[in-house]
């Protein structure tokens, strides 16, 4: 893009000649060309990064006060809430931060689905994103067990038992995961260890995700590539500023929950200490798992030789795995749903379907809700396996603008003499 | 490697020998790494002190007909029910019913009066309701798992819902008329 900067400061220059970190940062975060038409939905990647850092920082401090033992875990969390200086604040940030992370990442994913950000050449970028989602789910699940409340314990029991659905190796795997014959102290200890490890794995994959992003560049609302300097602006200050606005709004949202509704996303049962002899009348996972939980429970029937339990686990697994092949399921030549008159609506049907599944997942599996869960699950897979390939072939897309510039300013692609310069 | 194979002195024989050495080295390395990984993996299996708690003895004396107790064995709840005549005959009558996992009531008990089984739903490990008189017992009068709606009959057999198997009967032995050893 532009030439390497000339560092004036001799120390910076000395370091940069030997390890070009400053040149790298300048290149990737200062001059990096970004489509000039990005809307606020493009804030969510940066926001996710900020939440990840927040979670790691608060988590490290919490770990200094937490005791991973079945007899002390619940008490140590209550001690954090009552006795540790600002413990309540740090824990509420960490606890709600988990929910914020998923809100941001789900919006980020649906942004990608709407604007076709997964299409060539960004397939690997998208797939790394799915890996990040899986790691986040694992991290969140492990972390939720640590306070050792009733939902912690029974959530851990139900989810680890998913592996028992596997034929033959299922039971030994579950025993191995537990380190015993039930969720117990050995389980809590290893979950703590892994919960501390996972964010660093997450950081590594996020790093790859960002590197992949900086190779292909950002997609944009039109879904057409940058065709010249008139289509882009430098990342700094244009998107550092735009991201800052988004960050401000997000922090207000986050702070509202931390200070005024800290238990809004939680389950009251998790303030009852874990009791291995008593299952709560109604086990619900955290809200971000509800659609997947609904799909797990939707399968109440055997198919051929596959028992319902194994099939439910397979369906739930497939609901995420299917995201890996989305770049090849979508046959449309046009990226952005803005120019896809039919798919645009079907996208919103998928969004509604996910909310319906979320609702079903939160309720006991009774009566009409069972059928709703089954229809919702069927539609979810129908969207990816049938609608995506077929609509892409049949639909006539709207005419695409000649360039980003034309779409934004209405002029011809080459009307503006040059791109926006750094002020 | 590539330079070496291109050098004029190297013959086909040399290449074959070199490939063999590379493969052999890699194989030895892989076996070495795997043998180091196994202790790490196995360390996560139940430890000796967990395994040591593998047997318990239970006094059945205080249990009246129609009563159930729950005891802890290996960290898991074990349901012990002294069944009523009505429950036994219902269980025996359903031996011929359309069962998901075919098991006769007689094969699930040592004495028809005493039903001993692990109180963990075979679906995803919740503890079914039905041990206390006030709890719902499901459509078949046995146990009902509130998590995902599995119904078990008076023999602990799965009759309806997502669970694939009957409630598991642990290994146990009557020490005398009024006490058993589980494990």
């Amino acid at each position: 893009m532009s030439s390497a900067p000339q560092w004036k400061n001799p120390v910076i220059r000395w370091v940069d000649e030997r390890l070009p970190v400053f040149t790298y940062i300048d290149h990737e975060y200062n001059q990096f060309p970004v489509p000039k038409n990005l809307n606020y939905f493009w804030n969510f990647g940066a926001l996710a990064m900020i939440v990840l850092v927040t979670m790691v920082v608060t988590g490290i401090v919490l770990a200094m006060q937490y005791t991973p033992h079945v007899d002390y875990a619940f008490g140590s969390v209550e001690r954090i809430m009552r006795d540790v200086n600002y413990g309540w604040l740090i824990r509420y940030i960490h606890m709600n931060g988990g929910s914020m992370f998923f809100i941001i990442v789900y919006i980020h994913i649906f942004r990608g689905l709407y604007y076709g950000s997964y299409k060539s050449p960004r397939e690997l970028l998208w797939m790394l994103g799915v890996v990040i989602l899986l790691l986040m789910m694992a991290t969140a699940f492990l972390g939720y067990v640590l306070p050792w409340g009733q939902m912690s314990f029974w959530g851990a029991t139900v989810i680890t038992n998913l592996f028992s659905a596997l034929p033959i190796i299922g039971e030994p795997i579950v025993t191995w995961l537990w380190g015993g014959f039930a969720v117990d102290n050995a389980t809590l200890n290893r979950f703590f260890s892994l919960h501390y490890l996972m964010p660093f794995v997450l950081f590594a994959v996020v790093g790859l995700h960002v590197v992949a992003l900086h190779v292909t560049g950002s997609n944009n609302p039109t879904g057409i590539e940058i065709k010249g300097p008139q289509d882009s602006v430098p990342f700094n200050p244009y998107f550092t500023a735009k991201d800052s606005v988004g960050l401000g709004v997000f922090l207000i949202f986050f702070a509202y929950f931390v200070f005024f509704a800290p238990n809004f996303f939680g389950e009251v049962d998790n303030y009852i200490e874990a009791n291995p002899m008593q299952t709560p009348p109604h086990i619900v996972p955290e809200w971000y798992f509800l659609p997947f939980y609904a799909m797990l429970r939707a399968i109440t029937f055997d198919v051929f030789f596959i028992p319902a339990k194994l099939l439910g686990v397979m369906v739930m697994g497939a609901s995420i795995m299917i995201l890996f092949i989305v770049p090849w399921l979508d046959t449309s030549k046009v990226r952005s749903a803005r120019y896809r008159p039919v798919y645009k609506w079907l996208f919103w049907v998928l969004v509604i379907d996910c909310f319906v599944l979320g609702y079903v997942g939160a309720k006991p599996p009774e009566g009409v809700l069972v059928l709703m869960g089954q229809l919702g699950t069927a539609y979810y897979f129908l969207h990816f396996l049938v609608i995506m390939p077929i609509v892409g072939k049949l639909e006539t897309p709207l005419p695409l603008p000649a360039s980003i510039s034309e779409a934004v300013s209405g002029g011809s692609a080459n009307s503006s003499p040059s791109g926006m310069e750094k002020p | 490697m590539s330079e070496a194979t291109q050098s004029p002195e190297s013959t086909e024989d040399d290449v074959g020998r070199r490939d063999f050495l590379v493969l052999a080295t890699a194989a030895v390395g892989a076996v070495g790494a795997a043998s180091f990984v196994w202790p790490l993996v196995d360390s996560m299996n139940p430890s000796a002190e967990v395994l040591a708690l593998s047997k318990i003895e239970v006094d059945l004396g205080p249990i009246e007909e129609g009563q159930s107790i729950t005891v802890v064995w290996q960290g898991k709840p074990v349901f012990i029910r002294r069944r009523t005549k009505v429950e036994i005959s219902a269980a025996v009558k359903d031996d011929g019913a359309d069962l998901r996992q075919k098991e006769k009531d007689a094969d699930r008990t040592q004495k028809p009066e005493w039903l001993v089984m692990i109180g963990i739903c075979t679906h995803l490990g919740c503890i079914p309701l039905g041990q206390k008189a006030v709890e719902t017992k499901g459509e078949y009068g046995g146990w009902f798992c509130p998590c995902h709606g599995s119904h078990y009959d008076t023999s602990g057999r799965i009759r309806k819902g997502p669970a694939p198997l009957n409630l598991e009967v642990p290994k146990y032995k009557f020490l005398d008329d009024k006490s058993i050893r589980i494990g």
Side-chain angles (χ1 to χ4, degrees), chain A residues 139-214:
Chain A
T139 313
F141 162 70
L142 294 165
Y144 192 60
V145 176
L146 304 184
W148 208 243
Q150 273 288 66
M151 282 299 167
S152 301
F153 181 90
W154 290 101
T157 299
V158 168
I159 301 301
T160 48
N161 260 308
L162 293 178
F163 291 92
S164 72
L166 298 170
I168 305 164
I169 53 165
E171 289 295 336
I173 285 183
V174 173
T175 305
W176 177 73
L177 286 173
W178 288 340
F181 302 103
V183 173
D184 210 332
N185 198 45
T187 323
L188 178 60
N189 256 290
R190 65 190 56 187
F191 277 23
F192 180 54
S193 168
L194 293 173
H195 182 68
Y196 208 118
L197 165 72
M198 288 304 240
F200 299 99
V201 180
L202 207 47
F203 257 126
V205 184
V206 168
L208 294 175
H209 190 68
V210 171
V211 169
L213 171 71
H214 282 238

Side-chain angles (χ1 to χ4, degrees), chain A residues 365-378:
Chain A
E366 290 159 3
V368 70
L369 287 167
V370 176
L371 187 66
M372 264 172 79
Q374 289 167 342
L375 292 176
T377 305

Side-chain angles (χ1 to χ4, degrees), chain B residues 149-161:
Chain B
S150 292
H151 299 255
Y152 295 92
D153 67 11
T154 54
S155 189
R157 292 175 296 205
I158 180 67
R159 301 301 293 270
K160 188 180 169 190

Side-chain angles (χ1 to χ4, degrees), chain A residues 176 190 276 279 293 297 309, chain B residues 41 44 122-124 127 148:
Chain A
W176 177 73
R190 65 190 56 187
T279 307
Y293 193 58
R297 297 193 305 187
K309 176 176 164 182
Chain B
V41 171
M44 288 172 69
T122 57
H123 182 224
L124 293 173
I127 297 179
H148 307 99

Side-chain angles (χ1 to χ4, degrees), chain A residues 298-356:
Chain A
I299 312 301
T300 52
F301 44 84
D302 302 353
V303 175
F304 305 119
F305 57 91
I306 307 173
K309 176 176 164 182
L310 178 58
L311 201 64
V313 174
M314 285 163 66
V315 164
M316 186 174 72
S319 69
I320 297 172
M321 290 305 159
I322 203 165
L323 296 176
F324 279 110
I325 54 168
V326 159
W328 295 276
L329 289 173
D330 188 348
T331 54
S332 176
K333 300 249 185 311
V334 173
R335 280 204 195 105
S336 173
R338 186 181 273 187
Y339 304 104
R340 300 184 60 189
V342 180
Y343 184 76
K344 176 192 266 182
W345 296 107
L346 293 166
F347 167 84
W348 288 109
V349 177
L350 177 70
V351 174
I352 293 165
D353 186 48
C354 289
F355 276 101
V356 169

Side-chain angles (χ1 to χ4, degrees), chain B residues 51-115:
Chain B
L51 292 171
L53 300 170
S54 59
K55 281 184 175 36
I56 55 161
E57 286 179 16
V58 185
D59 177 18
L60 303 179
I63 309 170
E64 303 282 336
E65 190 175 302
Q67 266 190 343
S68 301
I69 63 161
T70 306
V71 297
V72 184
W73 172 63
Q74 292 187 343
K76 293 181 282 199
V78 173
F79 290 175
I80 302 175
R81 181 162 180 84
R82 186 167 180 183
R83 298 191 293 179
T84 61
K85 297 252 166 5
V86 181
E87 286 170 352
I88 297 168
S89 60
V92 172
K93 191 163 72 69
D94 282 353
D95 279 351
D98 182 25
L99 297 171
R100 190 169 292 170
Q101 186 194 4
K102 296 220 179 298
E103 261 189 316
K104 288 203 187 319
D105 186 57
D107 296 338
R108 293 179 52 79
T109 53
Q110 295 180 12
K111 297 180 181 178
E113 195 179 14
W114 295 102
L115 181 63

